[in-house]
């Protein structure tokens, strides 16, 4: 088991990075801010984050949460974001777009 090395919070969600590079998130997901494609608008317990077909395990080096979005940087310096792109916060071209799962920026 690995210990927590980084934690960040948005308005109503939390993401934790553990020492092995795995990320977990919980809290509100109604705007995709956890990057979990599911019917759960609220995730009450930590859930492992994933990126497309690959699980996040051993890939993540940095996590940052905004009010209703999350950005991560992996070990190859690729940036992924999810959540509400209000004012372009998530780095995609479309303002006010909801990004329900982690997408490469």
């Amino acid at each position: 088991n690995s210990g927590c090395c980084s934690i960040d919070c948005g308005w109503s969600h939390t993401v934790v990075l553990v020492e092995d590079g795995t990320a977990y998130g919980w809290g509100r997901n109604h705007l995709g801010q956890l990057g979990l494609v599911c019917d759960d608008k609220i995730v009450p317990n930590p859930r492992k984050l994933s990126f497309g077909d690959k699980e996040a395990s051993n890939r993540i080096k940095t996590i940052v949460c905004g009010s209703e979005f999350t950005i991560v940087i992996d070990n190859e310096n690729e940036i992924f974001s999810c959540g509400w792109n209000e004012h372009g916060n998530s780095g995609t071209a479309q303002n006010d777009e909801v990004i329900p799962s982690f997408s490469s920026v």
Side-chain angles (χ1 to χ4, degrees):
N1 292 340
S2 295
C4 173
C5 66
S6 179
I7 186 167
D8 205 8
C9 301
W11 184 22
S12 55
H13 71 291
T14 302
V15 177
V16 169
L17 178 63
V18 295
E19 291 170 339
D20 69 358
T22 305
Y24 295 87
W26 65 93
R28 290 184 79 176
N29 190 45
H30 70 293
L31 293 170
Q33 56 266 57
L34 294 174
L36 300 170
V37 180
C38 61
D39 292 332
D40 300 331
K41 301 297 182 198
I42 297 177
V43 178
N45 299 307
R47 198 173 296 174
K48 190 175 190 178
L49 303 183
S50 63
F51 300 82
D53 295 335
K54 299 178 182 178
E55 287 192 352
S57 182
N58 303 91
R59 292 187 60 203
I60 306 306
K61 68 177 186 179
T62 304
I63 57 170
V64 178
C65 295
S67 60
E68 293 171 312
F69 66 95
T70 301
I71 296 175
V72 301
I73 302 173
D74 72 5
N75 290 331
E76 298 174 356
N77 293 320
E78 188 170 358
I79 301 170
F80 296 89
S81 68
C82 64
W84 190 21
N85 192 40
E86 180 185 34
H87 310 297
N89 298 340
S90 295
T92 64
Q94 193 75 18
N95 282 354
D96 291 331
E97 172 184 39
V98 172
I99 306 164
S101 62
F102 282 97
S103 300
S104 182
V105 175

